[in-house]
Amino acid sequence: MLKKIWPYYLIFFAFNAIEGSEIYSLKSTYEIEVLLDGTDQSSIKEGMKKSLSSLLINLSGTSLVLDDKAIQGIINSPEIYITQYKLDAVDEKIVASFIFQGDSLRSYLSENELPLWFAEEPLVLSYFPCREAEYESNQDAELMYCMEMEKELLNLSKSRNSRITRPLMDLKDIRDFEFLSSISAEKFMTKMSRRYGADNWLICLTKDKFGLLMDTPSCFSSENKKPSSLEMTFNYLLNEINLKQSLVVDRDVINESQIEVIGIDSFMKLEKVLQTLDSQVLIFNLSLEELEGNSAYISLSHYGSKVDLKNLLMIHADFKEIKFKSQDIISYQYTNT
């Protein structure tokens, strides 16, 4: 047993933060590409604003972050957060690539008590009944409308770091659609979401109750049953999904928690665990209290409640909580090999 680890172990804490596995908001740098109207300074500045706005939406997980006064302030001075940029000509279009430092933007969001989104890309089950028009004659207008709508959805999904899937529409799905859609499209999508294991769904209708093609599709989702445009419905859906996996750092609330991390079988793995914990946005200080077998006992000083800390570590790919019937501290299995 090794207690009160010697001071030289503290050099671990000075190392660079480890990038979270597949967690977008934990990346060290971000490269955002946008199209520019020209190469003059005004066009480049507009490109900076556009790229920063897009990045902030994905870091926070919500499009509503752009309405915050603190965010409006930094969007007007985007160059502060850009380390470098380059301009290229692609297919006679001007493409700008802006590189942002993740740490400075995460710090700004947390200092202003704005959410940070910590999760992998959410999956959305989508269905456009107008796709069935390809199997019918004289439906060219509806099919073209449908293809444009699908293209828009893919672009929206890419911009919001999400994944889109759709039902197979095999005989079982077609049977369910013919039976349930006449009653409620919502009931159909709810049943499909259970079949395909997707918690979140989106459906867009292109015809009104008289069978006439509408100018704007009528879309609704698992989070909002009120029909709206595709863009509004999708953004609202992603905002609600991401809200459930976001944290707001409350710097007025300070706590100390002890955790046990199991699976420490080498000096290198201990080093990785300490670096990873020290890089987490809620944690501002930590100390290694004890090593016993393959377990490390660590004291963490952090912002927010202990529940906030647990939620943060729960969505981190490197830690899996171990639940015992009785325990004084939170225990985790370290899964990064």
Side-chain angles (χ1 to χ4, degrees):
M1 183 183 296
L2 180 62
K3 294 186 176 181
K4 303 300 180 182
I5 303 303
W6 292 283
Y8 60 78
Y9 277 114
L10 297 179
I11 62 174
F12 302 153
F13 305 154
F15 286 16
N16 290 329
I18 292 178
E19 182 173 312
S21 174
E22 297 184 325
I23 304 296
Y24 184 83
S25 62
L26 295 179
K27 286 186 174 184
S28 57
T29 61
Y30 299 89
E31 183 171 359
I32 310 296
E33 292 187 351
V34 295
L35 292 176
L36 299 185
D37 294 330
T39 57
D40 57 282
Q41 288 302 311
S42 178
S43 296
I44 293 173
K45 180 70 174 282
E46 285 304 310
M48 289 179 174
K49 290 181 178 181
K50 184 177 180 181
S51 60
L52 179 56
S53 297
S54 173
L55 177 55
L56 288 169
I57 288 173
N58 285 323
L59 285 177
S60 65
T62 174
S63 59
L64 300 178
V65 74
L66 300 183
D67 296 331
D68 191 275
K69 289 183 178 180
I71 294 300
Q72 292 172 5
I74 66 169
I75 287 177
N76 289 326
S77 303
E79 60 277 359
I80 298 174
Y81 297 91
I82 295 174
T83 57
Q84 58 180 298
Y85 74 90
K86 61 181 179 180
L87 304 180
D88 288 314
V90 180
D91 297 330
E92 299 183 353
K93 296 179 180 179
I94 303 169
V95 179
S97 297
F98 300 102
I99 297 179
F100 297 85
Q101 284 293 334
D103 286 343
S104 58
L105 287 172
R106 280 189 291 272
S107 295
Y108 190 85
L109 288 171
S110 64
E111 287 168 5
N112 288 277
E113 297 187 6
L114 293 169
L116 282 165
W117 173 54
F118 295 103
E120 297 179 12
E121 296 179 343
L123 180 68
V124 177
L125 178 69
S126 69
Y127 180 56
F128 297 162
C130 57
R131 284 188 58 84
E132 312 310 316
E134 63 181 296
Y135 303 111
E136 302 175 11
S137 59
N138 302 319
Q139 298 295 330
D140 290 346
E142 184 178 3
L143 186 55
M144 288 296 294
Y145 189 15
C146 202
M147 290 173 64
E148 287 298 318
M149 193 165 60
E150 287 194 328
K151 182 179 178 181
E152 181 184 359
L153 177 60
L154 290 175
N155 288 334
L156 287 169
S157 175
K158 182 180 179 180
S159 70
R160 291 297 305 268
N161 282 332
S162 60
R163 295 173 294 141
I164 299 295
T165 187
R166 67 185 190 193
L168 295 173
M169 293 313 292
D170 55 14
L171 291 177
K172 183 179 187 306
D173 288 348
I174 292 173
R175 202 164 47 240
D176 288 338
F177 179 71
E178 290 176 346
F179 175 70
L180 292 172
S181 63
S182 59
I183 302 172
S184 167
E186 177 188 339
K187 291 184 182 297
F188 168 72
M189 290 304 296
T190 300
K191 186 169 185 177
M192 289 300 97
S193 66
R194 288 197 296 267
R195 181 182 182 190
Y196 292 98
D199 295 329
N200 313 296
W201 55 260
L202 169 79
I203 186 170
C204 291
L205 306 177
T206 55
K207 291 182 178 179
D208 60 22
K209 61 181 180 181
F210 302 107
L212 300 176
L213 203 61
M214 296 184 288
D215 293 332
T216 303
S218 179
C219 304
F220 50 100
S221 72
S222 49
E223 292 291 342
N224 186 9
K225 309 307 187 296
K226 183 179 179 181
S228 187
S229 68
L230 173 57
E231 182 176 5
M232 291 184 64
T233 301
F234 186 78
N235 277 325
Y236 184 88
L237 174 62
L238 264 292
N239 290 350
E240 293 300 305
I241 293 172
N242 294 342
L243 178 63
K244 300 170 186 175
Q245 296 178 302
S246 298
L247 290 174
V248 176
V249 180
D250 187 348
R251 291 178 178 265
D252 292 330
V253 178
I254 295 177
N255 274 295
E256 185 168 315
S257 300
Q258 285 71 43
I259 68 170
E260 174 190 14
V261 181
I262 298 172
I264 310 301
D265 53 15
S266 68
F267 181 85
M268 183 175 296
K269 193 166 286 188
L270 174 62
E271 178 182 355
K272 287 183 178 179
V273 167
L274 295 176
Q275 287 179 0
T276 304
L277 289 172
D278 194 44
S279 71
Q280 302 308 300
V281 68
L282 291 181
I283 299 170
F284 61 86
N285 192 26
L286 75 167
S287 60
L288 181 59
E289 299 293 333
E290 182 180 335
L291 282 176
E292 182 177 4
N294 70 342
S295 295
Y297 296 87
I298 304 167
S299 178
L300 305 174
S301 299
H302 59 91
Y303 299 111
S305 67
K306 293 187 178 183
V307 173
D308 291 332
L309 178 65
K310 286 185 65 175
N311 289 341
L312 175 63
L313 295 180
M314 181 177 65
I315 58 182
H316 199 290
D318 292 349
F319 298 95
K320 180 180 180 181
E321 185 179 0
I322 301 173
K323 296 183 179 180
F324 298 113
K325 290 184 179 179
S326 177
Q327 63 179 36
D328 296 326
I329 62 175
I330 312 168
S331 296
Y332 295 92
Q333 177 73 41
Y334 185 65
T335 59
N336 189 338
T337 57

